[in-house]
Amino acid sequence: MNILTLLNAMPGAVAQGLIWGITAIGIYITFRILDIADLTVDGSLCTGGAVCIMMMLSGHNVFVSMIAATIAGMLTGLMTGIFHTFMGIPAILSGILTQLALYSVNLKIMGKANQSINVDKYDLFVSLRYIKGVSFFKNTIFVVALFVILLVVILYWFFGTELGCALRATGCNANMSRAQGINTNLSKVLGLMISNGLVGLSGALLAQYQGFADINMGRGAIVIGLAAVIIGEAVFGRIFHNFGFKLIGVALGSILYYLVLQTVIWMGVDTDMLKFLSAILVAIFLAIPFWKDKYFKKSVVKKGGNGNA
């Protein structure tokens, strides 16, 4: 195995990890802040990519297309939020229903299963071609890293506002929040909209980066996003305590995930098993806190009790 092959592939893995890091931040908002398992992302990622590509193919500016993709993502979150709050459907089932509906919606947006865009004919914001042999300011890694930092700053500001604090309080204790006069349903819908808006934006960047939008591009997005969140917390949790740095840690977790993935591919592991390995990795990291509480803490309490006796 040639180590140079791996090193040459690493910049692409970092760029892709950063793009997926935006999805991971969106998943962090629902999973950690709102305490909701939202499966909408498997559909909203494709929606963002489809809207962006179709807007650009019809002659719109790349930034206008990305804004439209973000809004489209927010609308998918709104749909899930209405299912959950207005119709009383459990959050996880609401996400599944929206994801199911989005398959047809995405097909209608694109007109077929996939749509490609040529970097030579269109002025893309990011591209696989912009990894090497381009100026520093056009390099995809630099551009997306700057983009992620800007998003983190905006989210840090928002979650410090009264509305943002209400959203965080809803995730911590919905009953207490309602007792304090917070409209928890509004907070949940808003959180889902922000989360899926970020996922839609990530889908727009991913579609540009790979040069096409595909109906299956969002499949498994929830697993990749959760892997990034869990890895980010495991690796950087003891270092980053500030909310803004936690979001950056999630993005860095996404980069680590793709670096490990690239290494696994380089080692010759069957690529058909990658999603299986990702699922096992996420399951183990999610189980660690439970194992600590069940086995480690119990033994400590027991030991203390014997000492007091």
Side-chain angles (χ1 to χ4, degrees), residues 5-6 43 54 105 126 145 148 162 228 257 265 293-294:
T5 305
L6 177 63
M54 294 310 294
V105 172
V126 295
V148 169
E162 186 177 343
Y257 172 82
I265 293 170
D293 288 339
K294 186 172 182 180

Side-chain angles (χ1 to χ4, degrees), residues 270-286:
D270 185 1
T271 53
D272 291 341
M273 296 297 292
L274 291 178
K275 289 192 184 297
F276 175 80
L277 294 172
S278 298
I280 296 299
L281 180 68
V282 172
I284 291 171
F285 274 105
L286 285 172

Side-chain angles (χ1 to χ4, degrees), residues 163-177:
L163 189 59
C165 287
L167 200 152
R168 294 168 74 177
T170 299
C172 288
N173 191 323
N175 293 330
M176 182 63 74
S177 299

Side-chain angles (χ1 to χ4, degrees), residues 13-28 144-149 151-152 155 224-225 227-233 236 240 243-259:
V14 172
Q16 203 165 355
L18 279 168
I19 292 170
W20 276 94
I22 299 173
T23 291
I25 291 172
I27 290 173
Y28 181 88
V144 181
L146 208 61
F147 208 69
V148 169
I149 292 170
L151 284 173
V152 168
L155 288 170
I224 296 173
V229 170
I230 301 304
I231 292 170
E233 289 179 336
F236 304 105
F240 298 156
F243 176 70
F245 283 112
K246 284 183 178 180
L247 295 179
I248 292 174
V250 169
L252 292 175
S254 180
I255 294 173
L256 287 176
Y257 172 82
Y258 269 93
L259 289 176

Side-chain angles (χ1 to χ4, degrees), residues 1-11 132 259 262-267:
M1 290 183 286
N2 190 351
I3 191 70
L4 288 176
T5 305
L6 177 63
L7 293 175
N8 285 330
M10 283 305 178
K132 297 175 183 176
L259 289 176
Q262 193 63 56
T263 304
V264 168
I265 293 170
W266 172 74
M267 290 172 65

